[in-house]
Amino acid sequence: MTTTAITHISALVTNDPSLGDESPLGLVRDAAVVIEGDRVVWTGESSKAPATDNAVDAGGRAVIPGFVDSHSHLVFAGDRTQEFNARMSGRPYSAGGIRTTVAATRAATDEQLSANVARYLAEALRQGTTTFETKSGYGLTVEDEARALRIAARHTDEVTFLGAHIVSPDYADDPAGYVDLVTGPMLDACAPYARWIDVFCERGAFDGDQARAILTAGRARGLHPRVHANQLGHGPGVQLAVELDAASADHCTHLTDADVDALAQSDTVATLLPGAEFSTRAAWPDARRLLDAGATVALSTDCNPGSSFTSSVPFCIALAVRDMGMTPDEALWSATAGGAAALRRDDIGRLAPGARADLVILDAPSHVHLAYRPGVPLVHEVRRAGARVA
């Protein structure tokens, strides 16, 4: 395998505290990173870099791990422009929310849905995202949910079955019947294509008992739990996530002290999704409270057509620093290593020997510019598994 050294890096974020300045970011100044095949094999000071087959001069730019977007909803058709416009204009709007997207998604062809996924992934890649998770949840029939997961699995290994997004309109008068469908025939059809199972545990979606039944059934089929938890108000979602050893509890906007303590004492990551609060003018999650308690925090886009139609992790980093009490260092860690933890992966989200060579060269001397210069395209180059992809 050929080796490549990227040298003259102003600041290399490794996310390995044993390297560099021994901070959580493992920051190495005037650094180099050596790639062999698809792996990182060496990091250190640029002047000490070993001889390699190829060399890339970073020209004093910063290098960070590729972003790990651990929560998105990309298998859909249509958009909800009118809904967003009404919400931002202070006008009431009752066009159906998720149900609007369900109708459009059911009507779309496989080719249209796959093209949409590819489009949004390319958009995210140009902004530095090298790993992403995506969910079903806009089909809500056995056939449409399985179709969504088949399409998602063509693009990523991190696929989540979210048949329990809302109660299907077809079962509006029989929510118990829909839970039976999700835990029976729908799960049978979907399990072969997914790694994860998720449920929207919220008032108006699924209560704690329904969510437990769905997640338990998925776990029995080899799918690991994730939970949409405590987004719209206080509820059982976070506690359920911890009880079932879910990889992540996502949103975590409304938390009691007991919820925070439970997250801090567990392996369940609190995944925060500031794009949703930005797009709905809702209260911001209190990242500072979670971090100070010792919880592991991830940042993700929640890219979806209704409440967070952004694929930009840098935008979410800027929001987290500006409005959620995170430092630039914490926000970057959460968008890389934190996302990896939310996917229970240790091969991504860091740039230390043995890690997959997913990295971003920023057109800036420091990662702090991601929050310091919001909205500015700062990605100079993206490498995934060692190969330049953007």
Side-chain angles (χ1 to χ4, degrees), residues 147-184:
R147 177 174 74 136
L149 294 172
R150 282 197 305 271
I151 291 168
R154 297 172 193 164
H155 300 275
T156 181
D157 295 330
E158 301 296 348
V159 177
T160 300
F161 168 43
L162 182 59
H165 199 180
I166 59 169
V167 174
S168 169
D170 310 318
Y171 284 79
D173 298 324
D174 186 16
Y178 186 65
V179 171
D180 290 341
L181 180 73
V182 171
T183 57

Side-chain angles (χ1 to χ4, degrees), residues 71 73 135 162 164-165 197-203 205-208 211 215 225-243 246-256 259-260 262-263 268-273 276-277 283 285-286 290 302:
H71 184 127
H73 304 251
K135 310 174 192 296
L162 182 59
H165 199 180
I197 186 167
D198 199 345
V199 60
F200 189 21
C201 183
E202 199 75 53
R203 217 170 31 249
F206 298 90
D207 64 26
L215 296 172
R226 324 179 68 75
V227 184
H228 279 63
N230 300 55
Q231 176 187 6
L232 305 179
H234 295 290
V238 164
Q239 295 292 337
L240 180 63
V242 171
E243 173 193 327
S248 65
D250 297 32
H251 288 288
C252 294
T253 310
H254 300 275
L255 301 178
T256 65
D259 292 333
V260 174
L263 288 166
T268 298
V269 174
T271 299
L272 307 184
L273 309 166
E277 280 71 36
D286 189 347
L290 286 160
D302 191 19

Side-chain angles (χ1 to χ4, degrees), residues 5 45 56 59 87 92 106 161 175 206 222 234 275-276 311 318 350 358 382:
E45 295 178 14
V56 175
R87 189 164 63 232
R106 289 179 179 180
F161 168 43
F206 298 90
H234 295 290
S311 59
R350 61 190 184 93
D358 294 353
V382 182

Side-chain angles (χ1 to χ4, degrees), residues 122-134:
E123 187 178 273
L125 185 64
R126 290 193 298 270
Q127 298 174 89
T129 298
T130 51
T131 301
F132 71 96
E133 177 270 2
T134 201

Side-chain angles (χ1 to χ4, degrees), residues 58-135:
R61 298 177 175 90
V63 171
I64 63 173
F67 298 125
V68 180
D69 192 344
S70 61
H71 184 127
S72 73
H73 304 251
L74 298 184
V75 188
F76 68 88
D79 71 18
R80 280 147 59 187
T81 304
Q82 290 179 312
E83 175 185 331
F84 178 79
N85 190 40
R87 189 164 63 232
M88 294 298 107
S89 304
R91 300 193 305 269
Y93 186 82
S94 56
I98 291 173
R99 291 170 181 81
T100 302
T101 302
V102 168
T105 302
R106 289 179 179 180
T109 66
D110 288 12
E111 291 74 21
Q112 288 169 327
L113 293 176
S114 188
N116 279 348
V117 174
R119 171 190 169 193
Y120 297 124
L121 290 182
E123 187 178 273
L125 185 64
R126 290 193 298 270
Q127 298 174 89
T129 298
T130 51
T131 301
F132 71 96
E133 177 270 2
T134 201
K135 310 174 192 296

